[in-house]
Amino acid sequence: MAILETFSTCMQSTDWSGVSIAALMLAVSLLPLSLWLVAFQRFPGRTALFMANLGMLWWLFFAAFELSVDMLGCKLFFGGLIHTGITLVPTAWLIFLIAHKQGQPPFTRPVRLFLYLVVPAAVSALALTSPAHGLFYGPDTRLVDGEVLHDRGIGFVAAAAYLYFFLIWALFILVRAYREGARYQRPQVVLLLAVTGIPIVGNLAYTLGGFSLAGYDPTPFLFAVAVGAYVIMLLGGGALNVSAIARRQVIDTLPQAIFVVTREDEIIPSNAAAMRMLAEEVDHRGDESDPEIVEDLIARFHACRDTEGRRLASEAFGLRYYDFSVDPVRPVFGPVHEPLGWLFSAQDVSVSRARERALERIARRTETARRQAETSAQLDPLTGLLNRRALGRRFDVMAASGQPLAAAVLDVDHFKAINDLHGHDLGDLVLVNLSRALRARFREADAVFRLGGEEFLVLVAGAEEQSLLLRLADVRNVVGRAVDVHNLTVPAIGFSAGIARLPDDGTDFEALYRAADSRLLTAKSDGRDRVVTAARSMVWSAVGAPPDGPQGPR
């Protein structure tokens, strides 16, 4: 009740001057800035900056009333109310700086509420009740020429020490941020240093040097102008900065779509390409698809942010393909525990992706054609058997298996006479008929070659020599009978063969082939239509007979 009565009495004694009206108008001007700050801005420390503006408004509002009264008691009364704002402003400003630096508010919520509400109220209560205890203002406090000369007590000194502790802490944070920050961060840090330092310099000049603004303490006016200017620049996004304007112009003309994603998953298109991307999707999906498009974009954002490197390549989105990337948005100085938000970019790669797919198709067709050509080059055009070009690679593969390897070299007997007697077309049918018989009697794992003319080669891995002889004898029985092909009679033929084995007859193909070819020549010299191995020479009808038979060891 006493406070209300004092307030009523002092209000009746107000006499408004130009300075007091200016202070009141300055306080009123901070109100829309504070409301704008709360309504539209999202950044770490927003609440603290709002509380600093609120404290500044309170400070100036009651400073205007203090300036409008002449009685000592009323000046001390309004001065006591002022201390709520005086205490709140440096406290909230420090919390704002720390929150902006770390990306999250300092202290716990109860501690912040205690600093915002309890401490300022306690300091004001101590000042308002000072006439009763003298702890804040002593008995020598007096009014001289309309100005209060304070007899500062221990409570005032403690409150001042508390405030300067917070202000010096804030300066320390900013000086360190300036020294450690990148070059592009320093202009913003200098601005914050000015906001913090100018009121301190003004207060020290007033306290120690008697500097005043029209006879009054300049501190609240300086703080109000500095904080207000910073808030206006903050809300305007650097509207007074040519570099900021240029950066926005560069961003707006980038070919990739740029989105800003807040920590609340609000996605904001930030350049013309982003707006075009969304408009194209709306045209494609329909006018009612806005929520669906935003959900799809947010899903791409989370997928991109959670991948290693924060990149997604050639992701389909609507009618196009995009390279998506995510980069954290960091505060103007200092490391952060959590980004302020993210830059989410989408580079349209539809054209390049189509080119890549076309090149891939061309490459596949080229590779298929190359393999077909390579395969064709390794096949004999008449018989379809492997030719000499395929010999080296096929031998290496079969030899690498580690199994015993046998080679049989075959030569058609009296083939020149067949060509001379029946013609080359019929001679070709003889070769084709022999190649079919060879292919039918040997496995896919074996290799049958036409080396040229009437000479053939068979490579067999892992088979016993007797098994090879029996299969060759079966082939001899097939081609030993005349057959009709396309109204032509393919005559019966015989062939001679020489067999060699790896590693018994050599360690490489050349040695193996020489041994088999040498035995083929022996078979021809022994009368043809027979096979010669390392152990014996025999006619085909003797294959399977005991080795000591009539045509056994040579």
Side-chain angles (χ1 to χ4, degrees):
M1 292 298 295
I3 291 178
L4 292 177
E5 291 175 0
T6 304
F7 182 82
S8 177
T9 301
C10 292
M11 287 293 292
Q12 294 174 8
S13 64
T14 56
D15 181 17
W16 294 94
S17 64
V19 176
S20 59
I21 292 174
L24 186 61
M25 295 300 294
L26 191 56
V28 172
S29 69
L30 289 176
L31 182 59
L33 291 178
S34 301
L35 295 177
W36 192 8
L37 193 68
V38 172
F40 297 105
Q41 296 299 305
R42 297 289 186 276
F43 57 89
R46 182 187 63 160
T47 300
L49 188 56
F50 169 76
M51 293 302 293
N53 275 270
L54 189 63
M56 198 68 258
L57 190 154
W58 181 286
W59 186 349
L60 287 170
F61 182 82
F62 286 107
F65 281 94
E66 181 192 15
L67 293 171
S68 69
V69 296
D70 295 323
M71 294 184 298
L72 177 61
C74 289
K75 282 187 173 292
L76 291 177
F77 173 75
F78 286 122
L81 292 175
I82 285 173
H83 278 284
T84 298
I86 292 176
T87 307
L88 178 58
V89 170
T91 303
W93 184 251
L94 174 68
I95 293 174
F96 161 71
L97 291 177
I98 297 175
H100 207 61
K101 176 178 183 291
Q102 296 180 345
Q104 58 187 7
F107 319 122
T108 62
R109 182 179 178 83
V111 170
R112 293 198 303 274
L113 289 175
F114 179 84
L115 294 173
Y116 287 149
L117 303 176
V118 177
V119 174
V123 174
S124 270
L126 188 65
L128 289 170
T129 58
S130 186
H133 49 69
L135 293 176
F136 207 86
Y137 297 127
D140 293 332
T141 299
R142 61 194 183 277
L143 189 65
V144 177
D145 296 330
E147 184 177 356
V148 179
L149 298 181
H150 296 97
D151 178 17
R152 298 181 177 92
I154 189 171
F156 181 94
V157 174
Y162 171 86
L163 298 180
Y164 269 95
F165 171 77
F166 275 75
L167 290 171
I168 292 172
W169 188 354
L171 285 174
F172 174 80
I173 290 173
L174 291 170
V175 170
R176 184 174 180 182
Y178 183 87
R179 294 179 59 188
E180 297 177 354
R183 182 178 299 177
Y184 75 90
Q185 296 172 321
R186 288 179 176 175
Q188 181 78 346
V189 177
V190 169
L191 177 60
L192 292 170
L193 275 168
V195 173
T196 308
I198 289 174
I200 296 176
V201 172
N203 184 259
L204 290 175
Y206 173 75
T207 303
L208 302 178
F211 172 79
S212 64
L213 188 63
Y216 301 100
D217 182 1
T219 307
F221 300 93
L222 293 174
F223 231 131
V225 171
V227 173
Y230 179 76
V231 171
I232 290 173
M233 291 187 199
L234 182 66
L235 295 175
L240 303 179
N241 191 311
V242 174
S243 178
I245 296 173
R247 283 197 297 271
R248 286 200 301 273
Q249 183 176 344
V250 169
I251 291 173
D252 198 59
T253 56
L254 286 174
Q256 63 262 43
I258 305 294
F259 299 89
V260 173
V261 183
T262 68
R263 286 193 281 187
E264 294 77 24
D265 275 354
E266 179 185 5
I267 189 161
I268 305 165
S270 300
N271 68 346
M275 299 299 294
R276 288 195 300 270
M277 177 179 174
L278 294 179
E280 183 179 78
E281 280 304 300
V282 170
D283 290 341
H284 170 55
R285 304 191 195 191
D287 293 336
E288 304 300 321
S289 61
D290 279 0
E292 176 188 338
I293 294 171
V294 170
E295 287 179 8
D296 285 354
L297 268 179
I298 289 294
R300 295 294 195 290
F301 162 74
H302 284 290
C304 187
R305 187 187 63 180
D306 296 337
T307 58
E308 185 176 356
R310 294 174 178 158
R311 298 289 186 273
L312 287 178
S314 291
E315 275 282 301
F317 185 80
L319 298 175
R320 297 180 180 273
Y321 288 85
Y322 295 89
D323 283 346
F324 291 104
S325 64
V326 171
D327 294 290
V329 177
R330 305 196 180 279
V332 295
F333 60 88
V336 295
H337 298 293
E338 187 177 2
L340 307 180
W342 291 268
L343 283 178
F344 181 42
S345 65
Q347 176 71 51
D348 187 350
V349 294
S350 304
V351 174
S352 60
R353 188 179 188 277
R355 289 172 180 166
E356 290 173 0
R357 295 294 181 271
L359 290 174
E360 289 173 2
R361 289 192 295 271
I362 293 172
R364 285 195 297 269
R365 288 197 294 266
T366 302
E367 179 63 16
T368 300
R370 186 193 65 79
R371 290 179 180 177
Q372 290 175 345
E374 183 178 343
T375 301
S376 298
Q378 294 178 355
L379 296 178
D380 176 60
L382 175 64
T383 63
L385 297 179
L386 296 172
N387 60 21
R388 284 184 178 274
R389 290 185 178 181
L391 187 55
R393 182 183 300 177
R394 193 61 180 268
F395 174 81
D396 291 341
V397 172
M398 296 178 72
S401 68
Q403 300 181 50
L405 184 63
V409 179
L410 289 66
D411 190 85
V412 178
D413 293 332
H414 307 296
F415 185 69
K416 184 176 184 304
I418 294 173
N419 275 334
D420 293 343
L421 181 63
H422 301 285
H424 288 282
D425 289 342
L426 196 62
D428 288 346
L429 286 177
V430 167
L431 297 178
V432 170
N433 190 43
L434 175 58
S435 68
R436 288 174 179 171
L438 287 168
R439 190 182 292 123
R441 267 70 184 175
F442 286 91
R443 306 165 299 177
E444 288 187 8
D446 303 326
V448 182
F449 301 83
R450 182 189 176 200
L451 299 182
E454 67 271 26
E455 186 178 3
F456 295 80
L457 169 70
V458 179
L459 293 177
V460 180
E464 296 294 331
E465 182 177 281
Q466 186 63 23
S467 173
L468 174 58
L469 288 171
L470 290 172
R471 279 188 264 174
L472 289 174
D474 193 20
V475 171
R476 170 62 183 78
N477 290 334
V478 171
V479 300
R481 298 187 296 270
V483 294
D484 292 330
V485 178
H486 302 308
N487 298 323
L488 293 175
T489 299
V490 179
I493 63 167
F495 60 82
S496 302
I499 294 177
R501 294 180 62 81
L502 192 75
D504 299 342
D505 294 303
T507 58
D508 56 27
F509 175 76
E510 294 299 329
L512 188 69
Y513 176 79
R514 282 197 301 271
D517 189 58
S518 174
R519 289 164 187 164
L520 168 65
L521 295 176
T522 300
K524 287 184 174 292
S525 65
D526 285 352
R528 302 180 187 275
D529 200 22
R530 66 177 55 233
V531 59
V532 175
T533 68
R536 53 183 175 162
S537 171
M538 69 193 85
V539 295
W540 293 111
S541 59
V543 173
D548 55 351
Q551 298 196 41
R554 291 183 284 119

